[in-house]
Each structure stands twice: as structure tokens, then as C-alpha cells.
């Protein structure tokens, strides 16, 4: 059994010309893409046995840009059905398994993208991130995942979850490679790796509450490492962060229900029961509540903008718990718990990345550190994350 079969990271295996070629021809770097992103001539399943209707007519914008940058596409990756789920579960194609420990969740919804990179099936991958779907699997599989500023990278040719919050997520084993993918998707991006380390704000309050002790230990060590590097480090509070997930869901769920309205009406039994339940939550949100949530989010973004006049980067755990075991995990409850620190930054709209912070002192599993910044400031995230990564050394 191959690695991709054992981990169930890939839905479709592609064999592009020139990969691994010899005789003087340079080997091209390899990429996989989440199977809610169109690749010309290949069916897009969106992780659903009933979704694909035929090969995509054209590449998604991000796939076209990857090809132009010289990447060879080698596969389309597994995901939670319709990109809705944080554990890696998929009833149609099989649950994707964590690259470090198959008994633990792979994260989601970009599970296969993270596992493909962590297991060495591709050099880089593209996931998507709405409420944490790129950062969570990056964290639990010990790789880097970058959620760009909302709107920075095209989502044309990507099946939406919620257009108000959807992004495409570059994923790689190290920060430099992930930043290189972002540069391929947006040539205007420049990492600006030289210069002083950014001012680091360590988030307390909501982001320190109910954090599992082993995760908190790794985060404290990350903060100490930044201090040791000479970065200015101060405690901060992210205003209203505890409310952000609920307010965001009042927008996200109705948008997701609208994407799948026909399917919900005509063939609901063909949708995974947990996904169907979450889509139907969107049908129950009255328009006035969604309008109120949008107004609240505007104010939230202004309050967090003010915080970023005092610091350049805010540091938090990516997820507040050790990587959960797959057996007996409650999908709905685990999604709320696992994603509570990622949703806040999705609601804000600036860039955020997960970088491996270290290994959990009890389980040995990777623990992700989340770095977030003001809109358009991916450069400061990359600078901080690269400095941290160099000082931390390899996880394995």
C-alpha cells in the first residue's frame, strides 16, 4: 500500500510530464491542490461522491499561476465534504489520516493538502481557509499554512464556502517555500525578509483561556524564543475576539446554504449528515441577524486595526488543544473548540499563518503557533515566522 493510499491524502493522482526527469532537465517542484479547486480536464469532487459532473473546463486562477511559476501538479487532495469540517472526516473518499499519527485527526477542511506536504507527497500544496481550514491542518501536521489577506489571492475556479471569508492557503514544510507559493499567486507580494523583527503582541484574555497545558507550554517557549531574538514582545488583548466566531457564522452559514440551496432542496440525503445539519443552520438565520453581524464585523475590524498600530504581529496558539484522537471525536463540538482561535482572524480579514512551534510535551504531536497581522502585511508575518523557524530548528 502506498503512502497516499494509507493516509488517504489524495483523491486524484496526476502524472505531469517532466516530474522527476533526468538527462539534464531540471526536476520541477511538485504541488497538489485541494479538490474544491478546478484543474482543467479533471473532475472536481469537492469531497462529495455526488458533486462532480465532469472534468473542469479550465484551471482555477491559482492553478494557472502555479503552472506559470513552474510547479508540476501531481494530485488533487482529500477534504471535508464541501470544505466544511475541521477533523479530516470524509465518508465518500475515506477519512484523511494525520501524517504524524494516524490515530489522530488530520485537521480540516484542507486535510489532504496538509498531509500531502507533511508526508512528502508534494513539495507544496494549495488548501482553502474560511474559518481555519488551512491553518488547522497545517498546525496538526507540523507544516506551515498561510491564510492571505481576504481578497489578495483570486478564488475564481474555487467552489465557495462563504464568499465573504474564503481564501486560498499556500502550504509547505517551511516558511520560505510557503511564501514562495504566495508570491506565485500574487506577484505583488514581497517578503522583505531583511530588517528589524516585528513588534510581537502576545494575546491574552480569550486567546489564553482554556488552553491545554502542553499547548500553553509550547507557546510560552515560542514567546521566550522571540524575546531571545531581540523582538519587542508585549502582552495585548484582542478586542471582542470572543464574539467573533458567532458573528462570523451568522454570515458564513447563510452563504454556505445559498451555495448548496438546490442540493439541499432536491437531494439532501446525498450530503454527509453533519455537513447537511450545518448547512441547514444557515437556512434558519434571519436576514436581519446576518445584517447585524456584518455591521458588528465592520466595527470589530476597526477595533483590531487600532491594535495593529501598537504591534505588528499578534501571537496565539493555532488551536487550543493537543491534536485530538479520531476515535469518538464529536464533529460539531470539536469544530467549535478546535477552530475558536482561527475564526477570530478570519472574521478580521488580515493575514494569518500557522508555523510549527514545537512538539507537545506529552503526546509529541506538533503544536502550531498562529501569527496574525494587519491587512496586506504578509511581509511582517513571513519575517517573524522565518526568524522563529531558524531559531527553533527542525521538529523531527
Amino acid at each position: 500500500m502506498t503512502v497516499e493510499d494509507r493516509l488517504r491524502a489524495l483523491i486524484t493522482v496526476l502524472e505531469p510530464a517532466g516530474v522527476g526527469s533526468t538527462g539534464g532537465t531540471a526536476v520541477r517542484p511538485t504541488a497538489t491542490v485541494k479538490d474544491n479547486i478546478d484543474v482543467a480536464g479533471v473532475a472536481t469532487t469537492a469531497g462529495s461522491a455526488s458533486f462532480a459532473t465532469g472534468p473542469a473546463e479550465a484551471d482555477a486562477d491559482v492553478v494557472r499561476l502555479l503552472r506559470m511559476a513552474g510547479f508540476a501538479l501531481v494530485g488533487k487532495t482529500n477534504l471535508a465534504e464541501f470544505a466544511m469540517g475541521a477533523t479530516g472526516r470524509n465518508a465518500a473518499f475515506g477519512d484523511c489520516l494525520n501524517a504524524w499519527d494516524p490515530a489522530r485527526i488530520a485537521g480540516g477542511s484542507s486535510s489532504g493538502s496538509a498531509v500531502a506536504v507533511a508526508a512528502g507527497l508534494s513539495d507544496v500544496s494549495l488548501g482553502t481557509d474560511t474559518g481555519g481550514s488551512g491553518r488547522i491542518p497545517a498546525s496538526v501536521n507540523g507544516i506551515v499554512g498561510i491564510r492571505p489577506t481576504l481578497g489578495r489571492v483570486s478564488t475564481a475556479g474555487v467552489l465557495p464556502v462563504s464568499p465573504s471569508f474564503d481564501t486560498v492557503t499556500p502550504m509547505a514544510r517551511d516558511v520560505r517555500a510557503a511564501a514562495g507559493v504566495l508570491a506565485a499567486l500574487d506577484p505583488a507580494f514581497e517578503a522583505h525578509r531583511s530588517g528589524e523583527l516585528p513588534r510581537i503582541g502576545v494575546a491574552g484574555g480569550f486567546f489564553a483561556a482554556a488552553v491545554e497545558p502542553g499547548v500553553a507550554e509550547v507557546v510560552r517557549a515560542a514567546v521566550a524564543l522571540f524575546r531571545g531574538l531581540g523582538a519587542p514582545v508585549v502582552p495585548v488583548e484582542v478586542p471582542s475576539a470572543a464574539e467573533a466566531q458567532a458573528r462570523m457564522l451568522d454570515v458564513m452559514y447563510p452563504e454556505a446554504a445559498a451555495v448548496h440551496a438546490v442540493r439541499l432542496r432536491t437531494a439532501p440525503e446525498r450530503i454527509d449528515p453533519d455537513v447537511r445539519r450545518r448547512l441547514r443552520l444557515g437556512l434558519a438565520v434571519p436576514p436581519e441577524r446576518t445584517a447585524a453581524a456584518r455591521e458588528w464585523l465592520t466595527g470589530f475590524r476597526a477595533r483590531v486595526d487600532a491594535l495593529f498600530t501598537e504591534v505588528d504581529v499578534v501571537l496565539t496558539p493555532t488551536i487550543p488543544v493537543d491534536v485530538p484522537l479520531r476515535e469518538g471525536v464529536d464533529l460539531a463540538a470539536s469544530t467549535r473548540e478546535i477552530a475558536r482561535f482561527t475564526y477570530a482572524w478570519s472574521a478580521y480579514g488580515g493575514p494569518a499563518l500557522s508555523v510549527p512551534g514545537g512538539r507537545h510535551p506529552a503526546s509529541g504531536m506538533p503544536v502550531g503557533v498562529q501569527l496574525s497581522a494587519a491587512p496586506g502585511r504578509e511581509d511582517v508575518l513571513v519575517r517573524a515566522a522565518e526568524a522563529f523557524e531558524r531559531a527553533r530548528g527542525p521538529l523531527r
Side-chain angles (χ1 to χ4, degrees):
M1 182 180 290
T2 64
V3 173
E4 54 264 40
D5 289 337
R6 177 171 55 82
L7 297 176
R8 295 192 285 272
L10 302 181
I11 289 176
T12 303
V13 176
L14 307 174
E15 297 184 45
V19 177
S21 60
T22 57
T25 302
V27 176
R28 291 187 289 161
T30 57
T32 50
V33 298
K34 188 174 179 178
D35 204 10
N36 61 341
I37 301 174
D38 285 348
V39 172
V42 181
T44 299
T45 71
S48 171
S50 63
F51 178 78
T53 57
E57 293 183 0
D59 284 340
D61 283 354
V62 289
V63 171
R64 176 178 54 80
L65 291 166
L66 271 186
R67 293 190 200 273
M68 288 174 59
F71 288 92
L73 267 63
V74 297
K76 301 197 74 181
T77 61
N78 203 354
L79 68 155
E81 185 173 17
F82 303 143
M84 297 187 69
T87 66
R89 173 183 168 178
N90 187 289
F93 297 99
D95 294 357
C96 188
L97 305 182
N98 189 289
W100 285 61
D101 180 356
R104 295 179 184 266
I105 68 166
S109 61
S110 305
S111 49
S113 294
V115 171
V117 170
L121 303 179
S122 63
D123 297 317
V124 304
S125 192
L126 295 184
T128 61
D129 190 312
T130 303
S133 285
R135 288 161 289 163
I136 292 168
S139 175
V140 304
N141 287 282
I143 67 165
V144 176
I146 303 176
R147 174 188 165 92
T149 300
L150 189 64
R152 176 161 203 160
V153 173
S154 172
T155 57
V158 180
L159 179 72
V161 174
S162 173
S164 293
F165 304 104
D166 291 343
T167 63
V168 173
T169 307
M171 305 170 103
R173 283 184 285 277
D174 59 67
V175 176
R176 182 176 291 269
V181 176
L182 180 58
L185 303 184
D186 178 10
F189 168 67
E190 295 182 22
H192 300 302
R193 295 182 176 93
S194 60
E196 295 181 353
L197 280 172
R199 300 168 294 171
I200 308 292
V202 180
F206 169 73
F207 287 105
V211 175
E212 192 270 334
V215 172
E217 181 179 325
V218 173
V219 172
R220 284 194 298 271
V223 172
L225 190 151
F226 272 116
R227 284 200 177 99
L229 290 173
V233 178
V234 298
V236 297
E237 296 284 336
V238 181
S240 309
E243 298 177 60
Q245 183 176 13
R247 299 287 190 160
M248 179 177 156
L249 290 176
D250 280 345
V251 178
M252 188 189 103
Y253 278 157
E255 289 190 346
V259 171
H260 298 284
V262 173
R263 192 169 289 103
L264 278 171
R265 187 173 64 251
T266 61
E269 73 284 354
R270 303 189 72 182
I271 303 173
D272 178 276
D274 180 66
V275 175
R276 183 172 68 236
R277 180 192 62 79
R278 296 172 69 197
L279 289 171
R280 283 177 168 163
L281 288 174
L283 298 177
V285 178
E288 57 269 24
R289 197 164 94 199
T290 296
R294 290 189 185 278
E295 184 176 354
W296 185 91
L297 287 165
T298 298
F300 173 66
R301 289 162 183 155
R303 292 189 290 275
V304 180
D305 281 343
L307 172 62
F308 281 119
T309 65
E310 303 170 10
V311 296
D312 302 303
V313 170
V314 173
L315 184 152
T316 76
T318 306
I319 68 172
V321 295
D322 192 11
V323 184
L325 293 168
R326 293 173 56 237
E327 185 176 355
V329 69
D330 180 278
L331 295 178
S334 65
T335 297
R336 288 193 299 271
E337 174 66 8
I338 293 167
R340 62 189 172 97
F341 290 169
T342 57
Y343 263 96
W345 298 108
S346 294
Y348 173 56
L353 67 79
S354 182
V355 61
R359 297 178 68 165
H360 191 281
S363 69
M365 293 297 290
V367 175
V369 170
Q370 182 174 222
L371 304 176
S372 307
R377 296 310 312 270
E378 284 85 351
D379 59 318
V380 299
L381 292 187
V382 168
R383 193 187 323 152
E386 278 201 318
F388 174 79
E389 186 180 68
R390 285 194 301 269
R392 185 213 65 214
L395 283 188
R396 295 184 185 269

